[in-house]
Amino acid sequence: VKHYAVFVGSGQRRFSSLDGSGAERLNIQRMLKVNRTLYIGDRDNLYRVSLEPATASEMRYQRKLTWRSNPHDISICRMKGKHEAECRNFVKVLLVRNESSLFVCGTNAFNPVCANYSMDTLEPIGDNISGMARCPYDPKHANVALFTGGMLFTATVTDFLAIDTVIYRSLGDSPTLRTVKHDSKWFKDKPDKGWAVHWRSQPWRPSPRWSLLQVVVSRVARVCKNDMGGSQRVLEKQWTSFLKARLNCSVPGDSHFYFNVIQSVTDIVELGGRPVVLAVFSTPANRSLPSPTLCRCPQESIPSLGPGGPSTPPAWVLGCPRSSVLLLPSAHRPGCCAAPGMRYNSSSSFPDEILNFMKTHPLMDESVPSLGHAPWIIRTMTR
Ligand SMILES: *[C@@H]1O[C@H](CO)[C@@H](O)[C@H](O)[C@H]1NC(C)=O
Ligand SMILES: *[C@@H]1O[C@H](CO)[C@@H](O)[C@H](O)[C@H]1NC(C)=O
Ligand SMILES: *[C@@H]1O[C@H](CO)[C@@H](O)[C@H](O)[C@H]1NC(C)=O
Ligand SMILES: *[C@@H]1O[C@H](CO)[C@@H](O)[C@H](O)[C@H]1NC(C)=O
Ligand SMILES: *[C@@H]1O[C@H](CO)[C@@H](O)[C@H](O)[C@H]1NC(C)=O
Ligand SMILES: *[C@@H]1O[C@H](CO)[C@@H](O)[C@H](O)[C@H]1NC(C)=O
């Protein structure tokens, strides 16, 4: 730590010490690094900080944008019984929109909004749009957001009471899509953490989930970027490619020990010529063995497990390599993205039989093993 500069919220020019005394503590929600510039999304503020010179002991912002909730939204928020400290604008989405602008969403006193901002001046460009299904209402709720191919992929809750969890696609030229509403097969509870990365043609998102047994398990979900939704009868305006699977980060032994809480995930990195994600896992906070663990999960096995032979137990296996799978309704394999040259060139041409199968089978039977079937690094007695 002593070698690195810190950011405590001050600007380039020094003001009198009186000025600092009234300053609020930072409440940093998001950070985004673009080359040698860092954007920091705070509560009611957005900062642009240069990472040069690297030798200074304190980083200072070049630009600060104050973006508060408007008084009307604050009064409605208070009327609905929220605390004053929650009825503010927490920056929960901070993304590069194009080479000159950022896409930013804030909770805006439980009425989320999004807008474009200049990367250079941090000034808003154009009007704001609703942040519903793009940004959480409550600053405490987990969310993820990713821009790719001009489309915005978000995972968050869509309502004040945080009942409806979605993975949502919007903006761009393709139709708006969401996950099935109020279906416990798709989402049982709110994810408590999430990351999104995109891989070749598909983005996918890990999120730890509660299973039926109220045991935390680490799951990843994936959707095809080119999904066009289903038919008018089944999965209209909903994902036809949503799939989730458990990540298996465990220590083999007589009593197999699972690390079930994902703490953090990297982007896809190459390791020994193989695309993998590295994830830090831990046990639930109340377990007696506190040990963060690093597992390596082979990326290619996340969307596609298998091939499963006839002895494969109950449900089904995934994957694009063609192999016969008994219980599938037809030649289409769940997990494959429809594409020109495939049997179905668009998800909107899937027969209802396939759509119904996808709707009722969002969870993969097999979990995703880590490389070497064991953690890479384990640290005990530390959080
Ligand atoms: C969003 O835009 C509307 C209309 O321009 C404006 O009234 C409102 O204050 C804006 N909200 C925020 C949080 O900037
Ligand atoms: C942001 O900019 C894009 C073009 O880059 C535009 O399509 C969009 O309407 C703008 N506003 C919002 C709120 O996204
Ligand atoms: C980037 O997006 C902004 C709006 O956010 C738009 O005004 C601008 O024209 C875009 N620039 C390019 C190069 O697409
Ligand atoms: C651990 O925490 C979970 C969730 O908070 C709870 O359901 C469970 O009963 C707790 N277990 C113990 C042994 O305290
Ligand atoms: C998809 O296939 C249909 C015929 O089955 C064809 O009419 C359509 O042009 C194809 N679309 C694309 C994008 O290839
Ligand atoms: C997790 O991986 C281990 C080691 O490969 C295996 O023995 C165990 O059955 C797997 N557990 C699940 C739930 O897939």
Side-chain angles (χ1 to χ4, degrees):
V1 167
K2 73 177 178 209
H3 295 299
Y4 294 101
V6 295
F7 179 69
V8 295
S10 29
Q12 277 186 319
R13 270 162 294 159
R14 274 241 181 254
F15 298 104
S16 73
S17 53
L18 281 175
D19 184 67
S21 62
E24 255 196 317
R25 282 178 57 184
L26 290 175
N27 201 318
I28 292 173
Q29 306 290 317
R30 286 290 179 273
M31 286 199 286
L32 173 69
K33 184 169 168 278
V34 182
N35 303 323
R36 300 297 295 161
T37 301
L38 191 66
Y39 295 92
I40 300 174
D42 192 36
R43 177 184 51 193
D44 295 336
N45 291 304
L46 188 62
Y47 298 95
R48 185 165 65 85
V49 177
S50 168
L51 294 175
E52 315 285 2
T55 50
S57 64
E58 190 182 329
M59 286 188 278
R60 291 164 187 271
Y61 65 80
Q62 279 80 47
R63 290 273 169 183
K64 173 180 175 179
L65 164 86
T66 298
W67 186 24
R68 290 188 210 284
S69 314
N70 66 47
H72 180 67
D73 289 323
I74 294 175
S75 67
I76 291 177
C77 180
R78 299 284 283 133
M79 226 150 58
K80 287 182 175 171
K82 295 294 173 187
H83 193 268
E84 196 178 345
E86 300 170 290
C87 295
R88 307 212 15 203
N89 193 26
F90 295 81
V91 173
K92 301 297 274 185
V93 174
L94 180 54
L95 300 169
V96 173
R97 174 96 198 218
N98 64 21
E99 50 286 26
S100 61
S101 68
L102 300 171
F103 182 79
V104 186
C105 305
T107 58
N108 184 38
F110 280 75
N111 182 21
V113 291
C114 304
N116 296 316
Y117 285 91
S118 156
M119 273 190 180
D120 185 34
T121 63
L122 293 187
E123 279 172 7
I125 308 170
D127 286 339
N128 54 42
I129 56 170
S130 165
M132 189 201 278
R134 302 184 176 114
C135 176
Y137 285 58
D138 186 328
K140 291 191 294 294
H141 288 154
N143 70 299
V144 292
L146 168 77
F147 248 115
T148 174
M151 298 175 283
L152 176 70
F153 293 83
T154 45
T156 184
V157 290
T158 69
D159 55 345
F160 188 86
L161 297 173
I163 295 167
D164 181 27
T165 301
V166 286
I167 292 178
Y168 186 70
R169 183 183 71 194
S170 60
L171 313 179
D173 299 328
S174 298
T176 294
L177 291 184
R178 57 158 295 153
T179 41
V180 174
K181 201 168 185 171
H182 308 318
D183 184 334
S184 61
K185 277 193 173 136
W186 285 53
F187 284 121
K188 194 159 176 297
D189 280 304
K190 292 186 295 296
D192 59 0
K193 285 198 193 73
W195 298 268
V197 299
H198 67 102
W199 169 247
R200 294 193 184 138
S201 54
Q202 300 107 13
W204 59 273
R205 328 160 176 280
S207 63
R209 308 284 321 145
W210 292 91
S211 80
L212 285 170
L213 296 168
Q214 291 296 311
V215 173
V216 179
V217 297
S218 320
R219 285 194 181 148
V220 293
R222 199 202 67 164
V223 291
C224 294
K225 280 205 296 197
N226 68 350
D227 199 328
M228 300 299 280
S231 71
Q232 280 170 6
R233 292 163 305 277
V234 192
L235 292 179
E236 184 181 24
K237 297 190 178 132
Q238 292 167 334
W239 299 106
T240 66
S241 57
F242 176 84
L243 286 172
K244 51 184 186 174
R246 179 177 178 178
L247 294 185
N248 181 351
C249 180
S250 57
V251 183
D254 288 343
S255 61
H256 213 79
F257 190 87
Y258 289 93
F259 295 92
N260 279 330
V261 183
I262 302 183
Q263 295 291 351
S264 191
V265 177
T266 65
D267 265 349
I268 291 158
V269 294
E270 291 262 323
L271 213 66
R274 238 181 138 175
V276 301
V277 291
L278 302 172
V280 176
F281 293 78
S282 67
T283 50
N286 58 6
R287 288 291 290 265
S288 56
L289 178 65
S291 36
T293 292
L294 189 65
C295 265
R296 300 168 294 179
C297 299
Q299 148 64 19
E300 68 267 30
S301 76
I302 289 171
S304 53
L305 289 179
S311 64
T312 305
W316 46 293
V317 287
L318 283 171
C320 288
R322 250 151 249 147
S323 71
S324 60
V325 178
L326 298 173
L327 294 161
L328 290 185
S330 76
H332 176 73
R333 307 277 310 263
C336 292
C337 300
M342 309 278 284
R343 173 156 180 176
Y344 301 103
N345 63 12
S346 158
S347 66
S348 51
S349 55
F350 287 153
D352 288 357
E353 199 189 8
I354 288 183
L355 295 171
N356 271 319
F357 188 86
M358 293 302 295
K359 184 175 177 181
T360 49
H361 296 77
L363 176 62
M364 280 167 44
D365 189 41
E366 290 173 52
S367 67
V368 178
S370 57
L371 283 183
H373 297 276
W376 195 18
I377 295 166
I378 302 182
R379 289 276 175 279
T380 50
M381 306 318 290
T382 166
R383 270 282 153 202

